[in-house]
Amino acid sequence: MRPCFYLLFLAWIGISCSDKDSLPDEVAKADFSRLYVSFEEYNTSNAGVPDSNIRIISRADSTVFAFDQAHVSTAKGGGLIYFNPFLRALIHSTKETEAINDQTIYLLGIGTKGELNNSASMRSPLFSTIKGIAHHSSSESLMLVNQDGNNSGIHIVYRPRNMSPQYRPYRKLYTSGLVMGATFFAADKLFVLKTNDSFGLYVFDGVLTRTVSTIDSSTTISPSFIIPIEGANQVHAVAYDSLHNQLAITDYTDGKILGTGRILIFDAFSQQLQQRKLTPTRIITGPATGLTRPIAIALDTRSSAQYFYVADHSKKILRFKLTDVGDVIPDQIILTEQTPAGIALDARNSSTLPK
């Protein structure tokens, strides 16, 4: 019998075996892939028209690879965007700049055809620079990796669908100066990219059960161990597919020269995890790929999946085949007028259900 963590639904999502009982009914009937793209721009129109900071490809795996919906989230410029079918919503953060310090996360409801509505928000100084988002369904916990000086840490929100401006994290796990990035939850562990010096993955055990102060719900934590990533230059985003036991990480050098962006693929991830060293089994890079500064990645985790998706800061959305390697031409590409900041994929069919 497969370990439970192999039955995760989607990259970045942690699901325990008991989550089958809480699965939304519509998931069992679904068979589609929908890509949400977050864009940085905010108030760029002289006419005062707000920027559409989310655009949608309703059938991301079809021959027609194009945006067909747009939405204006109340985020002051789009940052990370995250989807979870058990949450039945998107989480959207603001792209932090020197001019904007929004310190807010936003919850967006999703209609039957993927249309979005601005449902709720939650503001906290602990959300000043969100670098990673993950969700654990059984405990109804949203984990937010924040990277901002003394506020850096893993901050956990209980029942995020109930969030409001008065809501507060119920666990504040400070990380004592660690430089952290994107995250995913699997096998009861939280994996967080180590984004400085020797790049790797911080591995945290017990973040959902850690004892915290009764006064302010806080504590200080350290990773259980660090897994180095062989040959990494500047890791940025991560996606995990437990069904195929595969990890993907975006990487780049200076983020300016076409063809120097890289996608690092780690097949047989659980075996590499046991060895406590990650070595790419495949690397996608080179001028033909169109990769310059890949800043977000999403894997289609269905058993029938063919593609994965990348947002490049050079204003491109790219679709690659899951089997690609080397200097390959993307299967599809969209050149965007705005600057992408994040992507989230909603890809479902019967193969994504817990067994």
Side-chain angles (χ1 to χ4, degrees):
M1 183 175 182
R2 289 180 175 178
C4 184
F5 76 88
Y6 278 107
L7 303 176
L8 297 175
F9 168 79
L10 186 63
W12 311 320
I13 298 175
I15 299 173
S16 76
C17 290
S18 62
D19 285 333
K20 182 177 181 180
D21 298 331
S22 62
L23 192 72
D25 292 339
E26 61 268 24
V27 173
K29 304 173 184 177
D31 184 8
F32 63 87
S33 61
R34 185 182 295 136
L35 190 69
Y36 297 93
V37 182
S38 171
F39 291 96
E40 292 182 5
E41 280 72 14
Y42 179 68
N43 277 355
T44 62
S45 171
N46 293 329
V49 179
D51 294 289
S52 295
N53 52 17
I54 300 176
R55 295 188 182 276
I56 306 166
I57 303 173
S58 295
R59 190 73 198 197
D61 60 354
S62 72
T63 55
V64 179
F65 190 67
F67 296 124
D68 54 15
Q69 296 186 59
H71 181 76
V72 180
S73 158
T74 44
K76 295 177 176 61
L80 295 187
I81 192 166
Y82 175 84
F83 169 78
N84 184 292
F86 296 88
L87 188 57
R88 307 188 191 197
L90 285 170
I91 301 295
H92 199 205
S93 69
T94 291
K95 174 69 175 181
E96 302 298 338
T97 65
E98 291 184 2
I100 300 172
N101 190 8
D102 192 19
Q103 300 185 348
T104 306
I105 57 170
Y106 300 87
L107 185 138
L108 290 81
I110 304 174
T112 56
K113 296 183 179 180
E115 67 276 16
L116 302 178
N117 59 81
N118 298 328
S119 300
S121 64
M122 177 179 172
R123 180 177 173 83
S124 169
L126 302 178
F127 304 157
S128 54
T129 312
I130 298 297
K131 297 293 186 180
I133 305 173
H135 183 263
H136 184 259
S137 302
S138 290
S139 64
E140 298 184 80
S141 297
L142 186 71
M143 292 161 276
L144 300 158
V145 175
N146 194 61
Q147 183 60 57
D148 182 18
N150 292 334
N151 287 331
S152 294
I154 301 161
H155 306 305
I156 304 175
V157 177
Y158 180 58
R159 291 186 174 177
R161 284 189 63 87
N162 296 336
M163 72 171 63
S164 70
Q166 292 75 40
Y167 225 51
R168 293 293 179 266
Y170 82 104
R171 278 193 175 90
K172 296 175 281 188
L173 311 178
Y174 294 101
T175 50
S176 298
L178 297 182
V179 180
M180 303 180 295
T183 187
F184 66 98
F185 190 92
D188 295 323
K189 302 177 190 298
L190 189 71
F191 298 82
V192 182
L193 281 181
K194 180 179 184 292
T195 56
N196 69 326
D197 301 328
S198 55
F199 299 99
L201 281 174
Y202 294 118
V203 183
F204 294 92
D205 286 298
V207 295
L208 297 173
T209 56
R210 191 65 58 98
T211 299
V212 296
S213 165
T214 56
I215 298 174
D216 64 357
S217 303
S218 74
T219 191
T220 300
I221 65 169
S222 299
S224 301
F225 54 93
I226 301 171
I227 306 175
I229 300 173
E230 184 177 309
N233 297 309
Q234 179 63 62
V235 295
H236 191 89
V238 63
Y240 176 56
D241 172 7
S242 58
L243 185 65
H244 299 97
N245 195 18
Q246 186 178 82
L247 182 74
I249 296 176
T250 69
D251 187 41
Y252 54 86
T253 53
D254 63 359
K256 297 177 182 179
I257 301 173
L258 176 66
T260 59
R262 305 198 303 166
I263 307 300
L264 312 179
I265 306 293
F266 305 86
D267 298 306
F269 169 70
S270 60
Q271 287 87 334
Q272 294 206 39
L273 177 61
Q274 292 176 356
Q275 297 169 6
R276 297 199 177 182
K277 184 177 74 170
L278 290 177
T279 302
T281 49
R282 287 179 287 139
I283 299 177
I284 298 170
T285 190
T289 66
L291 295 170
T292 302
R293 187 184 170 192
I295 47 83
I297 187 167
L299 296 172
D300 188 338
T301 66
R302 297 172 295 174
S303 61
S304 59
Q306 302 179 64
Y307 307 111
F308 70 91
Y309 306 86
V310 177
D312 197 283
H313 201 258
S314 62
K315 299 187 177 180
K316 301 185 188 89
I317 306 300
L318 310 106
R319 186 174 82 184
F320 291 94
K321 294 179 181 177
L322 284 167
T323 55
D324 278 343
V325 62
D327 190 12
V328 294
I329 298 173
D331 178 80
Q332 295 282 350
I333 185 168
I334 298 175
L335 302 179
T336 64
E337 294 182 2
Q338 296 170 283
T339 310
I343 55 176
L345 181 68
D346 178 0
R348 328 179 194 176
N349 65 14
S350 59
S351 71
T352 60
L353 294 174
K355 301 295 190 291

